[in-house]
Amino acid sequence: MNSDEIDAKLSFTVASVWRRERISCPHPHLLQSWLQAGLSGGAKEFVDFHLRESQCPYCNAVVEELRARDDQAKQPVLEDLRDRLLRSTAAALRRSRA
Ligand SMILES: [Zn+2]
C-alpha cells in the first residue's frame, strides 16, 4: 500500500467517525455560551462531557476557533495601548535627551 492509499483510508475513517459522532454535537452557539461561562445545569454538563470526555475533535476545534476570534477581538485594544506606551516612552526619551 502506498502512502496515498493510506491517507485515503485514514481520512475516510476519520470522516466516517466524525459523521457518526457529530450527530450528538452541540450547536456552535451553545459552545460559544459555554466558552463565555453562560451555561449552567444540564446544558453545561453536556458540553463539558462532550468536549472533555468525548474529546470531540470537531467541537474542540470550534471552541479553539471561537477562543482565537475572541482574542483577536481584544487585540486592537492591546495594540492601541502598546502603541501609546511606545509613543510616550519615545517622547520621554526625546525629552530626557534634549
Ligand atoms: Zn462535537
Side-chain angles (χ1 to χ4, degrees):
M1 200 191 283
N2 65 36
S3 68
D4 276 358
E5 281 170 318
I6 295 170
D7 279 353
K9 195 162 191 266
L10 194 66
S11 59
F12 173 77
T13 309
V14 171
S16 55
V17 169
W18 254 33
R19 272 197 294 274
R20 205 172 56 223
E21 296 291 319
R22 282 193 57 187
I23 294 168
S24 62
C25 279
H27 193 276
H29 285 163
L30 205 59
L31 294 173
Q32 180 147 37
S33 302
W34 176 86
L35 197 60
Q36 293 164 344
L39 292 181
S40 58
K44 183 179 180 297
E45 271 166 41
F46 170 66
V47 177
D48 274 347
F49 180 84
H50 190 78
L51 290 172
R52 287 166 185 164
E53 303 297 320
S54 317
Q55 299 194 327
C56 172
Y58 175 76
C59 293
N60 275 291
V62 170
V63 165
E64 281 308 306
E65 171 89 27
L66 290 171
R67 201 174 270 154
R69 225 180 282 170
D70 239 33
D71 287 348
Q72 260 170 26
K74 285 175 203 146
Q75 208 72 23
V77 180
L78 284 176
E79 293 272 301
D80 189 49
L81 188 67
R82 203 186 57 193
D83 280 358
R84 267 185 293 159
L85 278 172
L86 281 175
R87 270 199 299 275
S88 61
T89 307
L93 284 174
R94 269 199 302 274
R95 269 200 304 275
S96 68
R97 240 182 277 148

